[in-house]
């Protein structure tokens, strides 16, 4: 299956298909005519798929850098190591960077590609469910700072995204759950039918026959939103549903307790619960979300008093001029932007 993100000169194709990784050379040759490729991956993914990818790219001079897995790698401190390795490989502006991994590698490698020599061509090959349905598409690349997540970043679109659902078979269950947090998000904000498909299936195993179409549906929703709002000033903000609380929970625990998708799950339920008490969301939506989160082994509460999170919320990059653009639901499948401030959370209690 092929989808295209239409952004004038920044347009790019997304291919989704089983075992597409084994044909990477064919797809890459459509968007890259150079000779040298620099692959950035991590120590979980590269042993599984790195050598196979390099073999398919035998017509190119390939270099690789393998980084430790996990969110702490997505830090400003990782960038000098990447730049040094790219310099040693003599990467030029006519060469290509491939991000082979999950969301951390996609964001980090993407930011390195955007900033090295003022921009190197980039291909995203996402290997986690979360990266396949969300972070590999849309051109957001970033690194974290100690004060918050994704505070240094850029909009930098890839030339190509290759999505192979077969690689998910090697993912640990927690990483599947992590990705399902973002899949559920798409149902909540834009597609009630997707949400109720997830609810009806009731488990990842039951969902597997539908997985390629579910991934494609999530990617298509993101594609349409990004086309309307490339730089995250309007419609694209809807993709941040659950993220204001999620980012602060992740940061509070130094990215060591909840994964991103788990934190998003908590954020979606808690913000909907609060919105219901304010009459801003239809009654029962929070319970609907909670039931689907539970079915896919995702949490709905962090156990933290909201006071512990408000300082981080104030630093969140979506907090502009002391106002927050919160993403709420009218009902399942129908989201909207609600201008507010940190006071929205003041009576939330424990989240």
């Amino acid at each position: 299956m092929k989808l295209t993100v239409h952004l004038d000169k920044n347009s790019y194709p997304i291919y989704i298909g089983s075992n597409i990784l084994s044909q990477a050379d064919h797809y890459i040759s459509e968007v890259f005519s150079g000779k040298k490729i620099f692959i950035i991956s991590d120590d979980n993914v590269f042993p599984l798929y790195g050598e196979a990818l390099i073999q398919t790219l035998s017509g190119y001079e390939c270099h690789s850098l393998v980084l430790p897995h996990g969110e702490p790698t997505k830090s400003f401190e990782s960038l000098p190591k990447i730049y040094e390795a790219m310099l040693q490989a003599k990467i030029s502006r006519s060469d290509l960077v491939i991000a082979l991994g999950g969301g951390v590698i996609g964001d980090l490698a993407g930011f390195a590609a955007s900033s090295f020599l003022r921009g190197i061509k980039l291909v995203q090959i996402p290997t986690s469910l979360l990266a396949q349905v969300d972070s590999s598409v849309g051109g957001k690349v970033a690194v974290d700072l100690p004060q918050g997540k994704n505070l240094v970043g850029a909009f930098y679109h890839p030339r190509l995204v290759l999505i192979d659902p077969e690689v998910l078979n090697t993912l640990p269950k927690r990483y599947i759950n992590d990705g399902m947090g973002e899949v559920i998000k798409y149902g909540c904000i834009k597609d009630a039918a997707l949400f109720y498909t997830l609810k009806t299936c009731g488990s990842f195993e039951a969902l597997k026959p539908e997985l390629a179409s579910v991934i494609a549906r999530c990617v298509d929703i993101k594609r349409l939103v990004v086309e309307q709002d490339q730089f995250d000033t309007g419609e694209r903000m809807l993709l941040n549903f659950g993220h204001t609380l999620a980012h602060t929970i992740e940061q509070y625990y130094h990215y060591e307790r909840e994964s991103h998708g788990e934190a998003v799950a908590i954020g979606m339920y808690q913000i909907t619960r609060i919105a219901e008490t304010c009459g801003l969301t239809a009654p029962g939506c929070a319970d609907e979300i909670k039931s689907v989160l539970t079915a896919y082994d995702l949490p709905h509460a962090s156990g933290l008093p909201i006071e512990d999170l408000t300082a981080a919320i104030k630093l969140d990059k979506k907090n502009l001029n002391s106002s927050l653009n919160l993403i709420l639901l009218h009902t399942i499948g129908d989201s909207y932007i609600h201008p507010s401030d940190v006071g929205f959370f003041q009576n939330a209690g424990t989240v």
Side-chain angles (χ1 to χ4, degrees), residues 221-280:
I221 292 170
K222 184 156 191 182
R223 174 187 71 82
L224 292 167
V225 170
V226 169
E227 285 176 356
Q228 292 177 48
D229 178 18
Q230 184 176 171
F231 297 110
D232 204 11
T233 56
E235 175 86 356
R236 187 168 178 170
M237 291 184 191
L238 299 177
L239 299 172
N240 293 326
F241 178 55
H243 284 58
T244 296
L245 283 173
H247 285 172
T248 59
I249 291 166
E250 287 179 273
Q251 185 209 346
Y252 185 88
Y253 289 108
H254 307 289
Y255 310 103
E256 292 171 354
R257 198 180 83 161
E258 278 85 7
S259 67
H260 179 66
E262 290 166 347
V264 167
I266 294 168
M268 291 190 294
Y269 170 74
Q270 293 294 341
I271 204 164
T272 303
R273 175 183 67 82
I274 298 164
E276 280 188 31
T277 65
C278 300
L280 296 168

Side-chain angles (χ1 to χ4, degrees), residues 13 26 33 47 87 90 94 97 99 112 118 122 129 137 149 159 161 198 203 269 283 302 317 340 342:
H26 166 71
S33 57
L87 285 167
K90 296 183 170 55
S94 61
V97 169
R118 295 194 177 94
L122 172 69
L129 179 57
V137 176
K149 192 175 168 77
R159 299 301 176 97
V161 181
L198 301 176
S203 72
Y269 170 74
S302 69
K317 63 185 184 302
S340 187
V342 176

Side-chain angles (χ1 to χ4, degrees), residues 136-148:
S136 66
V137 176
K140 280 188 178 180
V141 296
V143 295
D144 302 334
L145 295 180
Q147 295 90 341

Side-chain angles (χ1 to χ4, degrees), residues 86 92-95 97 110-122 156 159:
M86 292 169 82
S92 73
R93 292 184 73 179
S94 61
D95 297 325
V97 169
F111 185 73
S114 77
S115 50
F116 188 73
L117 303 179
R118 295 194 177 94
I120 308 292
K121 297 178 189 73
L122 172 69
Y156 193 72
R159 299 301 176 97

Side-chain angles (χ1 to χ4, degrees), residues 320-343:
L320 302 172
N321 300 320
S322 298
S323 65
L324 281 170
N325 285 314
L326 298 174
I327 308 308
L328 306 179
L329 305 182
H330 289 299
T331 189
I332 299 295
D334 180 8
S335 56
Y336 67 103
I337 300 167
H338 176 68
S340 187
D341 56 33
V342 176

Side-chain angles (χ1 to χ4, degrees), residues 21-49:
L21 197 57
S22 64
Q23 305 158 54
D25 58 332
H26 166 71
Y27 294 102
I28 286 170
S29 68
E30 292 180 353
V31 299
F32 175 60
S33 57
K35 300 296 183 189
K36 197 178 292 186
I37 293 176
F38 191 82
I39 300 166
I40 301 175
S41 190
D42 70 32
D43 54 9
N44 275 346
V45 172
F46 193 83
L48 293 169
Y49 303 111

